[in-house]
Amino acid sequence: MSDHAISIEKERRSMDAKTAWKLSIEGDLTDRHAFRCPDSYCNIPLTCTNWRKEANHKNNNRYYFTPTSHEEQHIYGCTEASEHETKDSKNTEYELAKGQIRKNGIIKMKKPVRQVTHHPSGKAASFSKSGSSGNSNNSSYNHGKQTKWETRHIFSIASFVRLFKDKKTDNSKQLIDIGSSLLSLNDLFISSTEDRPLRNEVRIFYGKAKIKTSNLGEGMLEIKFENSSLPKVFSNISSLSKRSDTSIVTRYLDKNKIATVYFRGIIVDTHGGYDKFKSYSDNYYQNLYIE
């Protein structure tokens, strides 16, 4: 449930749900479905509750926006998604992935990306191509000349972590498509204690770590894996703390506590002769999972 949304009818004006409800009562807004999530990487269609219904003060009506379709939930890491919606979205994606594995299908790792579309005002806007629920993303995968499998796109690192930790999943089976090859979950996940971690390849690096404020820049934190040669992970504190799925970072930040951290990305060599991490997608918060 979201408190705010972008109104398509009002030329992408941001408004809270109670304002939208009032405008519907006045007849100034006519379509309860003409709303979009304000998060620039989400923008899923939203629907306003209690549309054109007179307030019942005895029932203490609550006004909010909810995803228009159950199959199109807020994208992973959306700032507008409630804790309940984030949990529901992750569960939906995970169950779809599990179903795909049961069918001997392929799981394709995908980045959440934005696309340009147009709305009735005639102005271009940036909308996400896909939500984290994995809807409408089946395709075919050809491996060799004769074998063909169905694939399902999975976006969130959380779903991969759950699959990796699920004792019913065969972690040695090659079922993860990362674009260049098929990997097993054992191939995809790299322990932070490995002596020579793979470079220049997308992997999920995990292990025990401490999180503290960084002097790299204002509002930045750093994650240092314990007893590891892995480089540090740097991210923006605000980006992590304001999202329900990564807000757990505040429990560990500067507390000298050990967290288990999963980071999806690439180890790259720098001109200075040392390694650094590069995240799988542009936003680091979409590639961190902390527990």
Side-chain angles (χ1 to χ4, degrees):
M1 298 177 289
S2 307
D3 293 323
H4 290 80
I6 298 294
S7 170
I8 303 302
E9 291 184 275
K10 288 296 182 181
E11 298 185 344
R12 297 194 57 76
R13 169 185 160 192
S14 177
M15 63 179 65
D16 60 48
K18 191 167 185 177
T19 298
W21 166 78
K22 287 180 179 179
L23 292 176
S24 76
I25 295 294
E26 296 167 0
D28 203 16
L29 288 179
T30 61
D31 187 353
R32 67 185 300 179
H33 304 299
F35 297 94
R36 289 275 182 170
C37 177
D39 188 289
S40 61
Y41 271 86
C42 186
N43 281 298
I44 63 167
L46 297 178
T47 297
C48 186
T49 61
N50 294 309
W51 195 251
R52 289 185 177 178
K53 291 182 179 179
E54 293 291 347
N56 185 338
H57 299 293
K58 292 183 179 180
N59 292 335
N60 295 318
N61 288 350
R62 183 185 172 190
Y63 306 97
Y64 57 87
F65 298 97
T66 186
T68 301
S69 170
H70 178 70
E71 294 184 353
E72 192 170 7
Q73 299 295 310
H74 288 280
I75 200 168
Y76 179 66
C78 175
T79 56
E80 298 296 324
S82 66
E83 185 175 351
H84 172 77
E85 285 173 322
T86 298
K87 183 178 180 180
D88 183 61
S89 181
K90 288 194 300 182
N91 286 338
T92 298
E93 184 181 68
Y94 172 70
E95 290 302 328
L96 288 171
K98 286 286 291 182
Q100 190 73 1
I101 291 173
R102 285 194 293 268
K103 295 187 293 185
N104 293 317
I106 299 299
I107 303 299
K108 186 173 180 63
M109 185 183 291
K110 293 287 289 182
K111 300 177 183 179
V113 294
R114 293 177 292 181
Q115 66 180 359
V116 174
T117 188
H118 292 270
H119 52 72
S121 70
K123 297 181 180 179
S126 184
F127 292 139
S128 172
K129 293 177 67 174
S130 51
S132 60
S133 60
N135 56 298
S136 303
N137 58 19
N138 284 341
S139 57
S140 297
Y141 184 94
N142 289 291
H143 186 64
K145 294 183 178 179
Q146 298 179 339
T147 308
K148 189 174 183 179
W149 291 292
E150 183 183 276
T151 69
R152 177 164 293 281
H153 298 170
I154 299 300
F155 300 87
S156 76
I157 182 175
S159 292
F160 287 102
V161 171
R162 287 184 68 180
L163 289 173
F164 180 62
K165 296 172 67 175
D166 191 333
K167 294 182 179 179
K168 295 182 179 180
T169 303
D170 183 355
N171 288 358
S172 65
K173 186 175 181 180
Q174 293 182 321
L175 47 78
I176 309 296
D177 176 13
I178 62 170
S180 58
S181 59
L182 282 179
L183 301 177
S184 69
L185 286 165
N186 284 337
D187 294 328
L188 179 63
F189 282 78
I190 304 294
S191 171
S192 62
T193 57
E194 287 198 13
D195 291 334
R196 292 188 175 182
L198 189 67
R199 287 164 172 77
N200 301 313
E201 296 287 346
V202 176
R203 293 294 187 270
I204 295 177
F205 303 90
Y206 72 98
K208 302 298 182 182
K210 287 185 179 180
I211 306 171
K212 68 177 185 178
T213 301
S214 173
N215 58 11
L216 185 67
E218 185 177 354
M220 297 292 291
L221 60 75
E222 63 182 48
I223 300 171
K224 186 180 186 305
F225 289 99
E226 296 283 286
N227 303 313
S228 174
S229 62
L230 289 177
K232 295 177 181 179
V233 180
F234 296 94
S235 188
N236 181 273
I237 296 173
S238 176
S239 293
L240 296 177
S241 61
K242 70 182 180 181
R243 290 173 167 83
S244 61
D245 204 43
T246 51
S247 61
I248 190 175
V249 72
T250 58
R251 298 184 190 178
Y252 298 99
L253 182 62
D254 297 326
K255 303 288 178 58
N256 200 33
K257 294 181 178 179
I258 300 293
T260 300
V261 175
Y262 297 82
F263 176 72
R264 177 171 55 178
I266 303 170
I267 298 177
V268 296
D269 296 321
T270 67
H271 296 299
Y274 60 92
D275 295 332
K276 74 173 185 177
F277 271 131
K278 179 181 178 181
S279 68
Y280 173 63
S281 60
D282 292 339
N283 299 304
Y284 273 69
Y285 65 80
Q286 294 173 332
N287 299 284
L288 274 168
Y289 184 79
I290 303 168
E291 58 184 19

